[in-house]
Each structure stands twice: as C-alpha cells, then as structure tokens.
Amino acid sequence: MLTVEKANLHYGAAQALRGISLKAEMGKITCVLGRNGVGKSSLLRAVTGQHPLSSGSVSFNGVALNGMAPYSRAKQGIGYVPQGREIFPLLTVKENLESGYAPLKRAERSIPDDIFSLFPVLQTMLGRRGGDLSGGQQQQLAIGRALVTRPKILVLDEPTEGIQPSIIKDIGRAIKYLRDSTGMAILLVEQYLDFCRELADHVYIMDRGEIVHEGPAETLDTPEARRHLTV
Ligand SMILES: Nc1ncnc2c1ncn2[C@@H]1O[C@H](COP(=O)(O)OP(=O)(O)OP(=O)(O)O)[C@@H](O)[C@H]1O
Ligand SMILES: [Mg+2]
C-alpha cells in the first residue's frame, strides 16, 4: 500500500500541499478529486519524486520513498501517467512503449500482451510517430508506457482530460481490469466526477492543498462532498 503522511510541499514561498495524509491500497482504485489548482498534480509529483516534500513522508509497501529519485521509485513499482500525457512526439509508438524499459532488468524487457488487448489501436500504430496520434490515442500510449514498467501501483493524473467519450470508456475498462486481474493499486486524480463514481473504491477530495473529504465512493453523492466540487 502507498502511504502519504502529513505531506507539505512548496514551490518557493507558495505552499501547494498542506498536511496531506492519504492511503492507496493494493487491489483498490483510490480517486482524488478537486477543482483546478487545488494541488492534485503536486500530490502526484510528491509520490513519483518529481518534486520534493518540505516535510512529511511517502512510503510504498513499507519502503520510505522520501529523497528517492523518480527512476528509483519506478524500480520500486510506481508507474506514472502524467497530466497532459507527455509522450515523446518524435518517437514511434513502439519506441515510446520501449522507453518504459528503463527501470527493468534486461531479461524483463518486453511489451506485455495485455497492453495490446486493452488498447488494440497501439498495436496497429506501432510504427507511427507519437505526435501524430490523436489525444485519446496518446493517452492510451501513456498508460501503455507506464504498464511496460510492470508497476505495482499505477498513478494517473486526469486521464480523461480532453478525451472523447468512447476512449474514456476504454480507459475506465482498462483501469478496472488492471485492479481486478493484477491486484495492483490505482491512484487516480480526476475532475470528472462520473468517471470516479464509476471506478473508485475509495475517494478523497482536495481543496487548497488539503484533504477536505474522505470516504467510500458512495459518499461522493453527499451534500458535503458536492460542496467541495462545485465551482
Ligand atoms: N512549478 C510550479 N511553480 C509554482 N507554482 C506552481 C507550480 N506548479 C504548480 N504550482 C501552483 O501550485 C498550486 C497547485 O497546482 P497543481 O498543479 O498541483 O494543481 P492541480 O489540482 O493539479 O490543478 P489542475 O486541476 O488544473 O491540474 C497551484 O496554485 C499552482 O499554480
Ligand atoms: Mg493537475
């Protein structure tokens, strides 16, 4: 399980996380919701090692991650699908997937078949440049690339942002499949409430750098939870 405890994070003098504590259990989908700019991506940067905490801790299955570089965290089993996808536009789909080999031992370096069953379009487009894919296809590629690293926890930052409904459905199906078939933990940051309601086992809501609500997915429909999500 991933555990974040009393996390504070600053950008210079500006504080983006204020005493965040959160857990993401294995075999569960944990969803973090919140409006624009409340610190959701900052939380994931702290988990993946893209930005240091000012204080507090992050650990995964008992291993303390504080101070550990992003590639070492990838070796620990943390797979990251960043906001905006960040695929390599000039590399082919195949090369983008192979960039996920970096944390793997030589003998483990292969593209799991699962990725092509979940996202068949990637197989048909293996030779195409990443930058020539549609936004939805790029999102599938970013998820595929993270899966190549054989993660034990998959961390996704707004995977539905700017994506058409049919591909959102495919992504939702893939996330459920990964939870149910592999028992991995999923930490999903979203603004799309219906997507979270459909997928989440446990939800957190953030506002201005703090957790303001926590509970089972059903609690999303309480007036208190709604209040934190409406603009
Ligand atoms: N590199 C940075 N330097 C300075 N401030 C930053 C930086 N990145 C984010 N911030 C600020 O930190 C706060 C939280 O940003 P963050 O990106 O974590 O929010 P978010 O919840 O992911 O927003 P969104 O839903 O728009 O993606 C915002 O006020 C943002 O302006
Ligand atoms: Mg964000």
Side-chain angles (χ1 to χ4, degrees):
M1 144 159 91
L2 178 86
T3 311
V4 177
E5 269 180 83
K6 297 183 185 155
N8 288 304
L9 179 150
H10 290 79
Y11 299 108
Q15 185 165 4
L17 299 182
R18 300 169 185 274
I20 296 269
S21 296
L22 162 150
K23 287 183 167 59
E25 287 181 44
M26 304 308 290
K28 295 266 153 70
I29 298 171
T30 303
C31 194
V32 178
L33 281 153
R35 293 178 281 228
N36 283 120
V38 297
K40 303 181 301 296
S41 296
S42 301
L43 170 65
L44 298 192
R45 283 183 207 121
V47 167
T48 56
Q50 311 286 321
H51 198 90
L53 287 179
S54 328
S55 62
S57 66
V58 181
S59 66
F60 184 54
N61 291 338
V63 178
L65 302 182
N66 288 53
M68 203 185 266
Y71 69 86
S72 306
R73 298 189 198 209
K75 279 191 183 167
Q76 291 293 325
I78 300 196
Y80 183 34
V81 183
Q83 187 166 19
R85 315 181 271 269
E86 297 185 17
I87 56 130
F88 301 105
L90 298 181
L91 299 186
T92 64
V93 167
K94 182 158 182 276
E95 289 163 341
N96 268 281
L97 290 170
E98 288 169 350
S99 71
Y101 288 170
L104 299 177
K105 299 196 184 81
R106 197 163 292 271
E108 296 170 334
R109 293 183 175 179
S110 63
I111 298 173
D113 293 336
D114 271 10
I115 293 175
F116 298 125
S117 355
L118 290 173
F119 304 125
V121 70
L122 296 181
Q123 184 138 45
T124 62
M125 295 192 172
L126 276 175
R128 198 174 295 192
R129 281 189 186 182
D132 294 338
L133 302 188
S134 75
Q137 291 163 349
Q138 289 185 7
Q139 189 67 62
Q140 296 175 78
L141 176 56
I143 297 171
R145 176 181 60 185
L147 292 176
V148 169
T149 68
R150 313 297 198 275
K152 300 191 184 84
I153 178 169
L154 187 64
V155 174
L156 303 113
D157 197 343
E158 299 204 37
T160 68
E161 198 177 22
I163 307 289
Q164 72 186 61
S166 71
I167 296 186
I168 291 180
K169 275 217 180 85
D170 291 343
I171 291 174
R173 215 177 294 128
I175 290 173
K176 273 194 184 153
Y177 167 84
L178 291 168
R179 173 194 61 189
D180 297 339
S181 72
T182 70
M184 73 170 70
I186 312 269
L187 178 60
L188 172 66
V189 155
E190 262 302 335
Q191 289 202 56
Y192 182 15
L193 181 63
D194 291 341
F195 189 69
C196 269
R197 192 193 288 104
E198 164 85 18
L199 290 177
D201 296 299
H202 202 78
V203 294
Y204 291 86
I205 299 176
M206 286 182 68
D207 196 7
R208 292 180 210 173
E210 293 180 283
I211 303 283
V212 291
H213 174 88
E214 183 205 339
E218 303 81 70
T219 61
L220 275 179
D221 290 312
T222 58
E224 304 91 275
R226 283 304 174 102
R227 185 166 52 85
H228 296 297
L229 295 171
T230 44
V231 182

